[in-house]
Amino acid sequence: MTSTTESSITVGTRVEARWNNGATLYPGVVERVFLEDGTDRPDGCAADAARDARARETFLALRYDDGESEARAQRRCARVAGQEQPAELAEGTRVDA
């Protein structure tokens, strides 16, 4: 299992993402990481979106394993493959509810 502190999401990272903001996670690969204005983020973004101050304005271009793709997926809708939500959340942790 991947720890949120061990990695970041960059081009080529295997992720599980909610296609079209749906409820189900699908496996795929990140093809691009960019800001809302279209500026690339070559350094990627933190694997733990709650701790990444720019996560709310970060987007991913994804290629899903089933052949589908998404050109502008919100970063908060993806996690590193195998990553699990912590059993306990700290006060102030951002969540997607």
Side-chain angles (χ1 to χ4, degrees):
M1 182 181 323
T2 303
S3 166
T4 57
T5 59
E6 292 176 354
S7 61
S8 64
I9 292 181
T10 59
V11 172
T13 301
R14 298 265 327 142
V15 295
E16 297 166 339
R18 296 182 301 141
W19 183 81
N20 203 25
N21 294 330
T24 305
L25 292 166
Y26 297 97
V29 176
V30 175
E31 294 187 322
R32 182 177 174 218
V33 180
F34 58 100
L35 296 175
E36 189 170 20
D37 66 4
T39 304
D40 283 333
R41 285 190 70 179
D43 60 334
C45 57
D48 184 351
R51 294 184 184 171
D52 186 348
R54 297 194 300 176
R56 289 176 293 155
E57 60 186 42
T58 301
F59 295 87
L60 308 172
L62 302 170
R63 185 182 73 247
Y64 293 97
D65 291 358
D66 66 1
E68 292 288 336
S69 62
E70 198 166 6
R72 189 178 168 88
Q74 293 178 339
R75 164 59 191 93
R76 65 183 180 84
C77 292
R79 66 183 184 192
V80 173
Q83 181 182 46
E84 293 182 8
Q85 178 175 323
E88 295 182 28
L89 299 174
E91 185 176 331
T93 301
R94 292 178 190 264
V95 296
D96 185 24

